[in-house]
Amino acid sequence: MTCSKLVLDRSALVAYGSETGNAYDYAEELGRMLERIHFRTTVSSLDAVSSLNQYTIVAIVTSTTGQGDLPNNSRNFWKSLLHRKLPFNYLDNVSFTTFGLGDSSYPKFNHAARKLHKRILQLGADEIYPRGEADEQHDEGLDGSFVPWSIDLRTNLLTKLPLPQGLVPIPDSELLQPKWLLGLHSESTNGTEHTIDTGHLQVSRFLPGVGDSIHDTRLSEEASVNLSSDPTAREIPVTLHENTRVTPDSHWQDVRHLVFNSDKPASYNPGDVLTIFPKNYREDVDQFIRQMGWTEVADKSIDFISNTPHETAGPYLPPPLARAALPTTLRSLLTQHLDFTAIPRRSFFSLIAHFTNDDFHKDRLLEFTKPEYIDELYDYTTRPRRSIMEVLQEFESVKIPWQWAAVVLPELRGRQFSIASGGELKTSLQGTARFELLVAIVKYKTVIKKIRVGVCTQYLANLPIGTNLHVTLQKGGLNITKKEAHRRVVMIGPGTGIAPMRSLIWERLQWSQDKTLRGEVDQSQAQNVPAIGHNLLFFGCRNRNADFFYSEEWEKIGGLMPLDVHSAFSRDQANKVYVQDVIRQNPYAIVRALYQSNGIIYVCGSSGKMPRDVRVAVVDALIQATNMDEAEAEDYLQGMEKDGRYKQETW
């Protein structure tokens, strides 16, 4: 058997479940590593996978969303593994490993990867390498765990599946060819034959039954597949109706209340999210084009071309940038689809090192890719929030070929915002769908004294009234239903974490006025069960007069249904008071809601310390107002999590 035939027999699937794009990025990086040790590699979302049995090895990278759930683009795959009729040896020919991306501030840390790994083992698969896990809270970010894990995986695979004699791994100094490149586009009269110039070759390709359908739809088939895995995830046209700053001009942070109306019907629940797709500023796009030397081609018609030799091609994978309407222009891609303001990943430095003739720059760029320099990479990129554009300004000898733009630059992804409207606020005066958001505009100074702005929040801050957008409405992770209306709830939402809590409060107000609600209460309950359970809100901010969001609404709603609001204003007194302190000050209210009444707690807002501090405060409250010790209180909270009564959504 020839070497080339042996290589073709080495196949790998890297499947990902990704909500915000992190798992996709790591799956791509893992795919490149496998290609360098001569695996014919396919990288695909989990829901697009039809079979695991056809590959030599399978690697799965997934994040965890909601209350320990898999991301939306992997839930159909997960359901397929839970089918009762699957035999115990269904996956006995599969060799696999998994890697989880998680955040230890969540109670169910990396739960999705753990349960997926366990289920695949139950179906008879062989674990070729132990599961890895990364933590957002790690001092070096996700890379701190992924890099050593992937290096060990590579060593393990070369031992268990050695290369044929005479074949060696592809060195990092050799540039891997991508599966897709950009090329100049000219369309012939029949509308199906496309001539594309990639700068290296000219080819004609025939696209049977594709032409108009791919180029004219707003969302490509791949994007539609990803959305269809969640019936509530769909694209909706909206118009900006209000864009109001709700903090004083003197306040350190600009926070906006935004209202969007749509003439399309849309139903949603508290905790659901709206994804907004930002655009880069024209001045920044122009500067980037000049910096890369792309001026002459910037406004020419371009398209994607497959760069995979036919004899080595695996399953068909669509081109990147699923939302892009093709053909397009480089300027359009840089404006709407490519993110040159993102913090560069380790793989970015490895790629751009191939596009410089300056030996000093090349050596320095490659240094950042070495495992022993992971601390230095973190200090250079993540800590100061240094952008791709700034890196390329510092390494000015790097000139990326425009054909590689969509390979080197990450996708400009939509940003998710928890919807702040509920109940009657979900409908405009005209009877159309209405969405309200509470958005903190990201602007800060880094450790290197440079001003940073959030690409999406800055885009929203400058968005004129009347602007038409296409947004995506998606089910959130709180899983709130009307059947819970009679239960007591504890809502903890400091800062903009109040948004989903406001949605829930307005929704519960509407439920309390619904005459049919009592009929939906479980008939086994006592007849004197109230139509709506008691509502306990804990809110925290800096100043009562600056960022006590929606304070005027709480008194009004409190007169219509049971609502108690406990607020913490951290800067209104000499000693800082936070939301967890106010929880400790009200232990009996916490116990009455959660322990005596079997209520539900929701924690929303900033990830990191806040969720952990809140959890400790709830444990302290249980200890103080009951006979529990610390272990018993912790066990009780874990029981609440298992029963779906402790829900957390942080960002």
Side-chain angles (χ1 to χ4, degrees):
M1 186 177 292
T2 65
C3 247
S4 60
K5 180 65 170 67
L6 286 170
V7 171
L8 285 176
D9 287 342
R10 291 168 63 91
S11 61
L13 169 67
V14 183
Y16 61 87
S18 186
E19 196 75 28
T20 62
N22 279 336
Y24 168 78
D25 289 340
Y26 282 102
E28 285 282 325
E29 186 168 341
L30 201 55
R32 287 188 289 269
M33 181 273 284
L34 291 169
E35 285 185 23
R36 290 194 179 278
I37 54 176
H38 297 285
F39 283 96
R40 183 164 50 88
T41 305
T42 298
V43 179
S44 171
S45 67
L46 278 164
D47 275 356
V49 173
S50 58
S51 172
L52 300 180
N53 294 285
Q54 64 195 75
Y55 301 95
T56 309
I57 60 166
V58 173
I60 296 175
V61 184
T62 185
S63 58
T64 298
T65 66
Q67 312 310 309
D69 303 319
L70 274 87
N72 286 313
N73 66 351
S74 55
R75 290 179 186 173
N76 286 341
F77 175 82
W78 173 241
K79 288 177 184 177
S80 73
L81 294 184
L82 299 179
H83 201 286
R84 291 183 179 180
K85 294 183 178 180
L86 292 180
F88 69 91
N89 60 347
Y90 178 67
L91 297 177
D92 63 353
N93 293 320
V94 174
S95 296
F96 84 107
T97 187
T98 57
F99 191 84
L101 306 180
D103 185 332
S104 57
S105 68
Y106 275 78
K108 294 188 175 180
F109 172 62
N110 266 316
H111 186 70
R114 293 174 184 178
K115 69 180 181 182
L116 184 59
H117 192 98
K118 180 180 179 180
R119 180 56 179 161
I120 294 174
L121 281 175
Q122 288 174 345
L123 293 173
D126 174 54
E127 181 189 72
I128 197 168
Y129 189 71
R131 183 185 70 247
E133 293 184 350
D135 184 2
E136 286 272 11
Q137 304 303 321
H138 192 286
D139 289 342
E140 294 156 359
L142 297 173
D143 271 356
S145 302
F146 177 80
V147 171
W149 179 86
S150 62
I151 291 172
D152 289 346
L153 171 63
R154 179 183 184 275
T155 302
N156 179 274
L157 291 176
L158 286 173
T159 301
K160 291 185 175 180
L161 300 168
L163 290 171
Q165 188 174 0
L167 196 63
V168 297
I170 301 171
D172 291 340
S173 58
E174 184 175 329
L175 182 61
L176 289 177
Q177 291 298 309
K179 291 181 171 59
W180 293 92
L181 284 171
L182 290 169
L184 294 178
H185 171 99
S186 61
E187 193 166 11
S188 67
T189 55
N190 66 11
T192 56
E193 187 174 337
H194 300 262
T195 302
I196 299 178
D197 180 6
T198 67
H200 305 288
L201 72 162
Q202 281 199 358
V203 299
S204 292
R205 62 170 178 166
F206 189 76
L207 303 179
V210 176
D212 294 339
S213 64
I214 277 189
H215 298 322
D216 291 348
T217 53
R218 189 170 297 275
L219 282 177
S220 75
E221 183 179 356
E222 170 75 3
S224 298
V225 167
N226 289 340
L227 290 179
S228 66
S229 62
D230 179 354
T232 68
R234 60 192 184 279
E235 193 175 66
I236 297 174
V238 297
T239 301
L240 181 62
H241 184 67
E242 293 180 26
N243 189 349
T244 307
R245 176 166 179 158
V246 293
T247 50
D249 292 339
S250 58
H251 191 58
W252 71 280
Q253 187 171 45
D254 180 357
V255 180
R256 300 298 178 99
H257 178 79
L258 299 109
V259 178
F260 296 93
N261 292 337
S262 177
D263 58 1
K264 298 290 184 182
S267 62
Y268 58 91
N269 295 315
D272 289 354
V273 297
L274 210 62
T275 301
I276 295 179
F277 300 90
K279 295 180 181 180
N280 287 312
Y281 284 109
R282 182 174 63 184
E283 296 79 6
D284 293 338
V285 172
D286 291 343
Q287 181 181 347
F288 192 83
I289 288 172
R290 289 193 302 271
Q291 186 176 326
M292 289 295 100
W294 296 346
T295 303
E296 288 188 7
V297 75
D299 298 300
K300 293 182 178 180
S301 182
I302 60 174
D303 203 343
F304 283 103
I305 179 174
S306 174
N307 195 41
T308 305
H310 177 72
E311 64 272 12
T312 62
Y316 172 78
L317 292 176
L321 307 180
R323 291 184 55 84
L326 302 172
T328 184
T329 66
L330 196 57
R331 189 182 304 278
S332 177
L333 288 183
L334 290 169
T335 301
Q336 301 181 69
H337 301 290
L338 295 175
D339 193 356
F340 51 83
T341 66
I343 299 171
R345 290 181 42 76
R346 196 171 63 103
S347 57
F348 171 81
F349 292 91
S350 177
L351 263 177
I352 65 172
H354 293 284
F355 303 130
T356 176
N357 293 319
D358 185 307
D359 289 339
F360 175 77
H361 282 177
K362 183 187 292 286
D363 290 343
R364 181 62 175 147
L365 290 168
L366 290 176
E367 217 171 61
F368 283 128
T369 69
K370 296 177 180 178
E372 60 266 32
Y373 289 101
I374 192 170
D375 291 351
E376 192 169 338
L377 174 63
Y378 186 85
D379 289 340
Y380 179 71
T381 56
T382 305
R383 197 178 302 281
R385 316 298 291 178
R386 187 175 268 107
S387 71
I388 286 174
M389 190 172 188
E390 289 172 325
V391 170
L392 292 171
Q393 287 169 348
E394 294 185 14
F395 292 88
E396 71 276 2
S397 67
V398 174
K399 299 299 177 187
I400 302 168
W402 64 266
Q403 295 89 347
W404 287 69
V407 178
V408 177
L409 301 176
E411 183 173 1
L412 182 59
R413 297 189 176 96
R415 270 57 167 182
Q416 294 182 337
F417 298 95
S418 287
I419 299 172
S421 45
E424 65 181 42
L425 301 183
K426 297 195 291 188
T427 306
S428 70
L429 294 175
Q430 293 73 35
T432 58
R434 174 185 174 100
F435 308 91
E436 299 186 16
L437 303 179
L438 183 69
V439 177
I441 307 305
V442 178
K443 186 176 182 180
Y444 59 94
K445 187 177 289 187
T446 70
V447 293
I448 57 175
K449 307 302 181 185
K450 287 197 173 184
I451 299 295
R452 296 281 184 256
V453 297
V455 62
C456 190
T457 60
Q458 199 66 23
Y459 168 73
L460 287 174
N462 295 310
L463 209 58
I465 302 300
T467 301
N468 296 318
L469 301 173
H470 278 79
V471 300
T472 298
L473 175 62
Q474 189 170 338
K475 182 177 175 61
L478 294 180
N479 302 319
I480 296 170
T481 68
K482 194 174 181 179
K483 293 179 180 180
E484 301 168 346
H486 66 284
R487 304 180 80 162
R488 287 178 178 257
V489 294
V490 176
M491 297 167 281
I492 302 170
T496 55
I498 194 64
M501 301 297 88
R502 177 180 184 255
S503 174
L504 177 57
I505 289 170
W506 277 96
E507 194 83 357
R508 287 173 68 85
L509 175 61
Q510 187 175 70
W511 293 344
S512 72
Q513 299 166 346
D514 187 344
K515 295 180 180 179
T516 67
L517 182 61
R518 189 175 296 278
E520 297 186 12
V521 175
D522 191 331
Q523 293 305 308
S524 64
Q525 301 281 345
Q527 291 303 308
N528 62 351
V529 170
I532 197 74
H534 193 279
N535 305 277
L536 191 59
L537 173 64
F538 290 88
F539 174 74
C541 64
R542 289 200 172 197
N543 311 104
R544 176 185 290 274
N545 296 324
D547 49 354
F548 190 8
F549 305 125
Y550 307 119
S551 58
E552 70 286 351
E553 296 181 5
W554 307 143
E555 184 175 351
K556 171 188 172 183
I557 294 174
L560 300 173
M561 74 171 184
L563 172 65
D564 291 336
V565 180
H566 299 277
S567 303
F569 306 109
S570 63
R571 303 301 195 274
D572 278 354
Q573 60 283 313
N575 297 322
K576 294 179 181 178
V577 177
Y578 296 105
V579 69
Q580 59 265 27
D581 300 316
V582 180
I583 291 172
R584 290 189 178 91
Q585 293 167 9
N586 294 272
Y588 294 99
I590 293 289
V591 166
R592 187 161 51 249
L594 302 182
Y595 183 64
Q596 296 174 351
S597 304
N598 205 35
I600 303 172
I601 187 170
Y602 302 97
V603 182
C604 296
S606 176
S607 63
K609 286 190 62 180
M610 185 277 291
R612 289 197 294 265
D613 291 344
V614 163
R615 184 186 176 88
V616 171
V618 173
V619 168
D620 291 344
L622 289 173
I623 295 171
Q624 184 176 346
T626 69
N627 293 322
M628 296 183 193
D629 59 26
E630 184 175 354
E632 290 170 332
E634 185 60 46
D635 285 345
Y636 186 77
L637 280 196
Q638 290 179 7
M640 288 183 63
E641 291 163 5
K642 186 177 180 180
D643 296 339
R645 294 197 298 120
Y646 192 109
K647 302 183 182 185
Q648 180 177 315
E649 191 75 272
T650 56
W651 49 85

